Amino acid sequence: MAMRAPVDDAMGAVFMRLPADDPRSLARAAAVCRSWCAILSDPGFAHGYRALHGGPPMLGFLHNEYRNGNRFVPTSTFRRRPSQDRPDCQVLDSRHGLVLLYAPAYDPPFEARDLVTGNWWDIDDDPKCRDIMHWPGDGPDDFFSGTGIRCNATALCAKDRCGHLDCHGGGPFLVALVGSVEEGGIALATVYSSETCQWSDKISVRSPGLHTDDGGHTAVVGDKVYVPSYECDSLVEFNIREQQLSVINVPENLGQGFLYLIGVEDGMLLFASVLKPRLYLLSMEAGPRGAAAWARCRVVELEPLLPPRALLDMSESNIWAVGFAEGVSVIFLRTPAGCYAIDLNSGRANKGIEKVITPMAMPLSPPPLVDDAMRAVFMRLPADDPRSLIRAAAVCRGWRAILSDPGFARGYRALHGAPPMLGFLHNEYRRGNRFVSTSTFRRTASHDHRDCHVLDSRHGLALLYAPGYHAPFDVCDLVTDNWREIDDDPKCHNIMHWLGDDPDDYYNGSIHCNATVFCAIDRCDHLDCHGGPFLVALVGSADEGDSSETRQWSDMISVQTPGLQIDTGGRTAVVGNNKVYVPNYEGDSVVEYNIREQQLSVIKAPEILDQGYLDLLGVEDGMLLFASVRKPRLYLWSMEAGPGGAAAWTRRRVVELEPLLPPRALLDMSSSDVWTVGFAEGVRVIFLRTPAGLYAVELNSGRANKMGEFSIEKVMPYTRFCIGAWGRLPASNEAPHAVAGGTMM
């Protein structure tokens, strides 16, 4: 019985606080259920999520390897597709959700790529760009030695007044090339627009001794691109909108050693230098005609962050800044001990690799979700949608820990009150048993044993019968895929078969008894029965009981009643875990089998009921529930058995069928046309066989749903909680899947 869906606004607030640097959690949360997918797909949610987290997350960083092209190193749960690993391409820049690649052996040599969507855009070069890209005599074969391209390339978003919170390849972009001639003193620049697919005219500026650093980091402020000189004593400012170049000199009196341009922070250029065991950060704001205002200085002590080996011989050639994640102040330092990422906000350092190109900004994640609040949300996920629980457990480790807690499982079962109906089982003529799903649970194909006849389903177990096998009985948990074989016994044969029956007549009804499977745990509430001891009771011309604890059949007992004929195809009922009720074929009595006391008795139905043929449905509120159909109505009766076979018929309910069923189902309302064939205890769903097909009538909601055109004589609902029934959760690069023994669709 599904609980009310969580309020969308509350769930939206929860999803807002999922870590931005864990995209897997958002993807898996969207896969939990349709309502969650609708929340996460809303453009308003995306806008609010970006605004709350302050900037795009760093999914990883790129760098070039000698003779192996570029490499992507993930720093989150995102993984680049293997098809994007281009060993013949050099990565030049990464900014605003785009990666700029260069492959001198290809035509065109440039490519802009969105690693998330997999989209890419080829960029042709132009003859007027070649004296910027290459010095005279350079050839494409020199690419791996670092002489293939002699300029600095920058990719950037071209949207006017864009906040760059979610730039990606869907919008226009620019590629700026800034270089210098071989002899120095002249800077050259041009820009490519994805909207016009053309390069701009080349512009230049003279500055004595200027050599642009083709391996340095660039910075973008609005529509201005900044490129450092090789000596880091000046910067080249390329104003794309006004098509102007200017040179900004760095003051000599800063006294902070060799300065590296690493990026932009708060709209100002950020520089870094290492002198003695300290990292110095300086910011600069460019003014008109290349004037610069140096604003603030910050000193970071490196000794508490880096190992001693990284600080040996603190010269400029041993430690320098090689990358910066804009937005969260993460600086990458190359040291003799390897590459380290220093988080300036938290004051922590993590070891990376040897080289780094440009990482994309990673914001500081909001505080983790409060476990109690999330537990309350998960408690209200529909019990008849086990897929939502499985996928919620796969979103992140924190959610998995909540859902795997035994205390959560107990509270979930107590809140929902009764196990949900995952589907029902029935037999098909000469095709064995079939499972029809009424939820997101699917039985695996290995469970479809065409040579097995399903006899009963109760307390999370299904009882199967295969006369052609040595152990003809099987008890199965469809969720966990656990099976228990049950041997028959010669003393059972006169209960199971009539004289002269041949097992080959199985499909013609060779078993002439009624079988029941149920939980054998004393005082069990049957909210989540599975894996424990069970009993199998056979009631035919005599009664036998099989215990999963002793694995033996009990001695046969009997009772004599004139005209009694057990209904081998009827529905049985279990009260507690020691009384089994089996209907008479004529529907005027039931046989009570008290397993604990090993007694049989017969309970007669009073003739004054006068409501047609009575079918035993099951148990409701501890009493037996009967049903009959007469005229366009469904009559429900409950009976409480007393000592000595006495019965107290207590209540009666009438359900009008005309508003629920189509006219064709109500033609000629005789008992042979419409009758009850099953009942799902706990969820109060009655299955009716009609001339128009099989219908499930929900007594709580007053609705009827058609289950199919097939004609079924006995429906055995399968009720079971799936909480905690998953196996191995997927790894970070795998899709959510897997219920052991079942597939969530």
Side-chain angles (χ1 to χ4, degrees):
M1 180 174 57
M3 300 292 291
R4 187 177 65 89
V7 179
D8 288 350
D9 291 342
M11 288 309 305
V14 169
F15 296 144
M16 283 286 182
R17 286 159 179 79
L18 286 173
D21 58 347
D22 184 15
R24 176 184 59 184
S25 63
L26 285 169
R28 292 182 172 176
V32 169
C33 57
R34 292 182 183 273
S35 60
W36 288 19
C37 181
I39 296 171
L40 291 165
S41 302
D42 182 20
F45 171 82
H47 179 76
Y49 187 84
R50 293 190 292 263
L52 175 66
H53 289 262
M58 181 172 68
L59 304 181
F61 60 83
L62 298 117
H63 69 99
N64 296 310
E65 294 185 333
Y66 182 68
R67 294 191 178 275
N68 285 320
N70 70 89
R71 179 187 174 198
F72 176 79
V73 179
T75 58
S76 67
T77 55
F78 172 77
R79 297 295 183 271
R80 181 169 70 166
R81 300 174 185 175
S83 61
Q84 295 179 351
D85 290 330
R86 299 282 300 276
D88 52 356
C89 290
Q90 184 186 27
V91 58
L92 301 179
D93 191 39
S94 173
R95 184 179 282 103
H96 300 164
L98 289 175
V99 172
L100 181 62
L101 301 173
Y102 173 66
Y106 288 84
D107 184 21
F110 291 105
E111 179 184 287
R113 183 178 287 268
D114 186 328
L115 299 187
V116 174
T117 63
N119 296 330
W120 73 91
W121 298 264
D122 290 332
I123 302 173
D124 293 324
D125 61 351
D126 193 276
K128 59 190 174 187
C129 305
R130 288 174 186 171
D131 57 346
I132 301 177
M133 295 169 56
H134 305 285
W135 290 348
D138 286 336
D141 295 337
D142 298 327
F143 157 64
F144 288 113
S145 62
T147 59
I149 181 169
R150 295 285 188 176
C151 68
N152 209 311
T154 305
L156 62 147
C157 171
K159 291 181 182 178
D160 191 28
R161 299 178 181 178
C162 181
H164 305 308
L165 290 181
D166 191 25
C167 299
H168 51 80
F173 63 88
L174 301 173
V175 175
L177 300 183
V178 179
S180 58
V181 297
E182 183 179 9
E183 61 274 10
I186 300 177
L188 306 171
T190 183
V191 63
Y192 173 87
S193 171
S194 66
E195 294 179 294
T196 63
C197 296
Q198 293 182 351
W199 292 90
S200 67
D201 293 332
K202 181 175 58 178
I203 61 174
S204 63
V205 65
R206 290 181 176 271
S207 182
L210 177 68
H211 276 281
T212 58
D213 185 3
D214 55 79
H217 288 280
T218 63
V220 176
V221 179
D223 53 6
K224 296 179 181 179
V225 176
Y226 294 87
V227 178
S229 68
Y230 187 77
E231 298 296 332
C232 284
D233 56 356
S234 60
L235 297 173
V236 176
E237 179 188 88
F238 178 23
N239 190 320
I240 296 175
R241 179 169 296 179
E242 299 179 3
Q243 285 291 288
Q244 291 181 354
L245 278 176
S246 57
V247 178
I248 303 174
N249 292 318
V250 176
E252 297 180 359
N253 58 357
L254 290 178
Q256 301 299 341
F258 197 87
L259 287 178
Y260 296 94
L261 174 65
I262 58 176
V264 176
E265 189 174 56
D266 298 330
M268 294 188 289
L269 301 180
L270 188 66
F271 293 79
S273 67
V274 178
L275 190 65
K276 298 180 181 180
R278 295 180 181 90
L279 170 68
Y280 292 86
L281 300 176
L282 298 98
S283 58
M284 185 201 82
E285 184 177 5
R289 291 190 295 275
W294 293 86
R296 55 184 175 175
C297 178
R298 180 178 177 183
V299 180
V300 179
E301 296 289 341
L302 295 178
E303 285 183 327
L305 303 178
L306 302 179
R309 179 170 172 263
L311 298 175
L312 292 176
D313 186 13
M314 290 291 296
S315 65
E316 296 176 357
S317 60
N318 284 327
I319 297 184
W320 63 91
V322 292
F324 179 66
E326 297 180 358
V328 288
S329 301
V330 175
I331 294 180
F332 291 84
L333 293 181
R334 178 174 178 174
T335 77
C339 182
Y340 284 82
I342 297 179
D343 189 334
L344 298 178
N345 291 322
S346 65
R348 293 178 298 181
N350 298 312
K351 188 173 182 180
I353 59 167
E354 200 62 28
K355 295 181 181 179
V356 175
I357 292 291
T358 303
M360 291 178 283
M362 175 180 63
L364 185 65
S365 297
L369 298 175
V370 179
D371 288 350
D372 290 343
M374 287 309 305
R375 185 177 288 104
V377 171
F378 296 144
M379 282 287 184
R380 285 156 179 82
L381 287 175
D384 59 350
D385 183 16
R387 174 185 59 184
S388 63
L389 288 168
I390 302 299
R391 293 182 171 177
V395 168
C396 59
R397 293 185 181 273
W399 289 17
R400 174 183 178 177
I402 295 172
L403 290 165
S404 300
D405 181 21
F408 172 81
R410 288 191 297 269
Y412 187 85
R413 293 190 291 262
L415 176 66
H416 289 263
M421 180 174 62
L422 303 182
F424 62 87
L425 297 128
H426 70 97
N427 295 308
E428 293 184 335
Y429 181 68
R430 295 190 178 276
R431 297 184 64 183
N433 70 89
R434 179 187 175 195
F435 178 80
V436 179
S437 177
T438 58
S439 67
T440 55
F441 172 78
R442 299 294 185 270
R443 183 170 69 162
T444 56
S446 61
H447 288 151
D448 292 328
H449 290 274
R450 295 303 183 186
D451 53 355
C452 290
H453 184 71
V454 59
L455 301 178
D456 192 38
S457 173
R458 184 178 284 101
H459 300 164
L461 298 173
L463 178 62
L464 303 175
Y465 173 66
Y469 290 85
H470 174 71
F473 293 101
D474 284 310
V475 174
C476 176
D477 185 329
L478 302 187
V479 173
T480 63
D481 198 22
N482 290 330
W483 291 75
R484 293 282 294 275
E485 293 183 345
I486 303 175
D487 294 326
D488 62 351
D489 193 276
K491 60 189 174 186
C492 305
H493 289 177
N494 60 341
I495 301 176
M496 295 169 56
H497 307 286
W498 290 349
L499 185 63
D501 283 336
D502 188 338
D504 293 336
D505 297 331
Y506 151 65
Y507 289 110
N508 295 324
S510 66
I511 181 169
H512 289 285
C513 67
N514 206 312
T516 306
V517 62
F518 55 99
C519 169
I521 299 177
D522 192 27
R523 298 180 181 177
C524 180
D525 58 8
H526 306 307
L527 287 182
D528 193 23
C529 302
H530 65 277
F534 60 86
L535 296 173
V536 174
L538 301 183
V539 179
S541 58
D543 189 358
E544 302 283 348
D546 170 36
S547 170
S548 63
E549 295 175 297
T550 63
R551 299 199 175 192
Q552 292 180 353
W553 292 93
S554 65
D555 293 332
M556 183 173 58
I557 61 174
S558 63
V559 65
Q560 292 186 354
T561 300
L564 178 67
Q565 184 178 354
I566 296 296
D567 185 2
T568 59
R571 178 78 179 173
T572 63
V574 176
V575 177
N577 63 346
N578 66 324
K579 291 184 179 180
V580 177
Y581 294 87
V582 181
N584 180 17
Y585 186 77
E586 297 295 333
D588 58 356
S589 61
V590 292
V591 175
E592 179 188 88
Y593 176 26
N594 190 320
I595 296 176
R596 182 172 299 173
E597 299 178 3
Q598 283 294 289
Q599 291 181 353
L600 280 174
S601 57
V602 179
I603 302 173
K604 293 284 187 178
E607 299 179 359
I608 58 173
L609 294 179
D610 193 24
Q611 297 298 341
Y613 190 90
L614 284 179
D615 289 315
L616 174 62
L617 291 182
V619 176
E620 187 176 56
D621 298 330
M623 294 185 288
L624 299 181
L625 186 67
F626 293 79
S628 65
V629 178
R630 187 172 182 180
K631 299 180 180 179
R633 295 180 180 90
L634 171 67
Y635 294 86
L636 299 177
W637 297 83
S638 59
M639 184 201 80
E640 185 175 7
W649 297 83
T650 56
R651 58 181 179 175
R652 170 180 148 180
R653 178 178 176 183
V654 180
V655 179
E656 296 288 343
L657 296 179
E658 284 183 328
L660 303 178
L661 303 180
R664 178 169 169 262
L666 299 175
L667 292 176
D668 187 12
M669 288 291 297
S670 65
S671 59
S672 61
D673 288 318
V674 178
W675 65 89
T676 58
V677 291
F679 177 65
E681 297 178 0
V683 296
R684 306 189 73 216
V685 175
I686 295 178
F687 291 87
L688 292 179
R689 175 177 174 175
T690 76
L694 180 69
Y695 283 82
V697 177
E698 300 177 5
L699 298 179
N700 291 328
S701 65
R703 294 178 301 181
N705 299 310
K706 189 173 183 179
M707 295 289 103
E709 299 290 345
F710 38 80
S711 177
I712 298 176
E713 295 184 357
K714 184 178 180 180
V715 169
M716 287 152 280
Y718 185 77
T719 59
R720 171 82 151 79
F721 277 112
C722 283
I723 182 68
W726 48 79
R728 180 185 67 88
L729 288 178
S732 58
N733 60 345
E734 295 178 330
H737 73 284
V739 172
T743 302
M744 295 304 159
M745 303 300 290

